[in-house]
């Protein structure tokens, strides 16, 4: 491996190659940050400045009126609370069910385990719109239509398959001898899982929980079908309040988008170490 990677490293250190790499990274960074930067600065512009010709990035007159509109003249505060509740329920249920299923698929030996693992991922290949009618009927039949619980249960369809697979790979990467040592010391299998396996898989579980929360946080299609009133409407749905058939309040829309994005950025910065470790853990063995 050293003989193969050494020429590549020497090639990467050449000035021409480094310039190309840095230019490529600069283009990707610009492409990624340009929409976010435009969104943030537009949220501080008065309505008369948003479509000025020629367009400007920075506002000539900074204003917080758009944020005042979001928090005082819309249902966004209640929708944010609903999104937080739904996201926490989804993360909790996904981790509970995904950890149980992932452990069974990783440790228990039974016929069809490999096929079941692959079948779980099959759900990720099906377009969400295909499942809309069936989910709507199921959620309505159990009486959870237009409730945060109904939205949370529907979001499990998105989060549970991939999280189960992620946790299964995390547990596969943990040596089984760790559990055996705990059971030799007198622990039951459940104790071995609780006190030996789960602490080691902690970064992966944190990443899985964060992934489930984020998927629920920005989901729009299911929430738009399963909610009707403000008591269950989530934040992505509340964004549509700022547009009508003939007009769009772009300033308030951008301000609401910033409000919707800030919690995600804070959560990512706080948990990025666990997210990276969790997503890469189990990548070698599995």
């Amino acid at each position: 491996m050293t003989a193969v990677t050494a020429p590549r490293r020497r090639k990467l250190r050449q000035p021409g190659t480094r310039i190309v790499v840095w230019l490529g990274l600069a283009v990707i960074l610009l492409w990624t940050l340009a929409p976010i930067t435009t969104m943030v600065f537009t949220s501080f512009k008065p309505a008369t400045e948003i479509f000025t010709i020629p367009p400007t990035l920075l506002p000539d007159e900074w204003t917080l009126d758009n944020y005042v509109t979001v928090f005082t003249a819309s249902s966004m505060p209640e929708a944010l609370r609903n999104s937080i509740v739904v996201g926490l329920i989804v993360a909790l249920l996904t981790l509970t069910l995904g950890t149980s299923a992932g452990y069974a698929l990783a440790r228990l030996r039974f016929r069809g385990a490999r096929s079941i693992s692959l079948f779980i991922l099959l759900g990720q290949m099906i377009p969400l719109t295909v499942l809309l009618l069936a989910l709507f009927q199921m959620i309505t039949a159990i009486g959870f239509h237009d409730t945060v619980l109904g939205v949370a249960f529907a979001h499990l369809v998105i989060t549970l398959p991939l999280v189960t697979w992620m946790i299964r790979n995390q547990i596969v990467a943990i040596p089984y001898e760790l559990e055996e040592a705990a059971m030799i010391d007198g622990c039951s299998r459940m104790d071995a899982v609780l006190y030996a396996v789960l602490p080691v898989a902690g970064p992966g579980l944190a990443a899985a929980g964060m992934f489930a929360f984020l998927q629920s946080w920005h989901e729009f299609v299911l929430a738009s079908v399963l909610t009707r009133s403000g008591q269950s409407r989530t934040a992505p749905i509340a964004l549509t309040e700022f547009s009508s058939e003939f007009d769009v309040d772009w300033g308030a829309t951008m301000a609401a988008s910033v409000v919707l994005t800030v919690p995600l950025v804070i959560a990512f910065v706080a948990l990025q170490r666990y997210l990276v470790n969790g997503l890469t853990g189990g990548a070698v063995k599995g």
Side-chain angles (χ1 to χ4, degrees):
M1 180 179 290
T2 304
V4 176
T5 56
R8 292 180 179 175
R9 289 178 179 174
R10 283 197 295 271
K11 189 175 181 179
L12 287 174
R13 289 172 183 168
Q14 294 177 357
T17 305
R18 295 180 67 177
I19 291 174
V20 172
V21 171
W22 280 108
L23 283 177
L25 292 175
V27 170
I28 294 174
L29 188 64
L30 181 64
W31 181 262
T32 304
L33 294 182
I36 300 174
T37 305
T38 303
M39 175 185 73
V40 172
F41 286 125
T42 302
S43 69
F44 291 104
K45 289 181 178 179
T48 53
E49 281 191 32
I50 293 178
F51 292 106
T52 54
I53 304 294
T56 58
L57 179 61
L58 296 177
D60 294 331
E61 180 185 350
W62 294 74
T63 179
L64 293 176
D65 289 349
N66 297 319
Y67 288 92
V68 173
T69 301
V70 169
F71 285 105
T72 61
S74 73
S75 64
M76 184 56 75
E78 186 179 11
L80 286 171
R81 185 198 63 192
N82 291 337
S83 284
I84 293 172
V85 173
V86 171
L88 291 177
I89 293 174
V90 170
L92 180 63
L93 290 178
T94 301
L95 282 180
T96 303
L97 300 175
T99 302
S100 302
Y103 179 84
L105 293 172
R107 289 287 192 252
L108 304 184
R109 296 290 176 261
F110 57 92
R111 181 174 297 179
R114 180 73 177 175
S115 301
I116 293 175
S117 300
L118 296 175
F119 185 76
I120 288 175
L121 278 183
L122 182 63
Q124 297 293 305
M125 312 299 174
I126 301 176
L128 196 57
T129 49
V130 175
L131 304 175
L132 268 180
L133 179 59
L135 282 172
F136 179 82
Q137 291 179 332
M138 291 169 59
I139 297 298
T140 303
I142 60 177
F144 284 163
H145 182 245
D146 198 26
T147 65
V148 292
L149 276 178
V151 179
F153 287 163
H155 285 178
L156 290 179
V157 174
I158 303 172
T159 60
L160 193 52
L162 195 55
V163 165
T164 299
W165 186 263
M166 291 169 60
I167 294 176
R168 179 249 180 210
N169 288 343
Q170 285 286 327
I171 295 176
V172 165
I174 299 173
Y176 184 62
E177 290 77 10
L178 197 63
E179 287 180 65
E180 289 182 326
M183 288 188 281
I184 290 174
D185 287 341
C187 290
S188 64
R189 191 181 190 100
M190 180 63 73
D191 290 337
V193 172
L194 291 177
Y195 300 115
V197 176
L198 292 188
V200 178
L205 297 178
M210 183 178 175
F211 171 81
F213 184 88
L214 296 182
Q215 289 293 310
S216 171
W217 180 266
H218 59 65
E219 197 283 327
F220 180 85
V221 176
L222 290 175
S224 66
V225 173
L226 296 173
T227 61
R228 288 184 304 181
S229 64
Q231 65 179 1
S232 61
R233 187 178 296 125
T234 54
I237 310 304
L239 270 178
T240 61
E241 290 183 19
F242 304 107
S243 63
S244 62
E245 184 176 1
F246 302 105
D247 186 34
V248 178
D249 187 345
W250 288 108
T253 300
M254 294 296 104
S257 300
V258 172
V259 171
L260 192 58
T261 305
V262 167
L264 299 185
V265 175
I266 294 174
F268 181 79
V269 171
L271 299 173
Q272 60 173 327
R273 180 165 60 91
Y274 298 103
L275 184 64
V276 173
N277 292 339
L279 292 178
T280 55
V284 176
K285 186 177 181 180

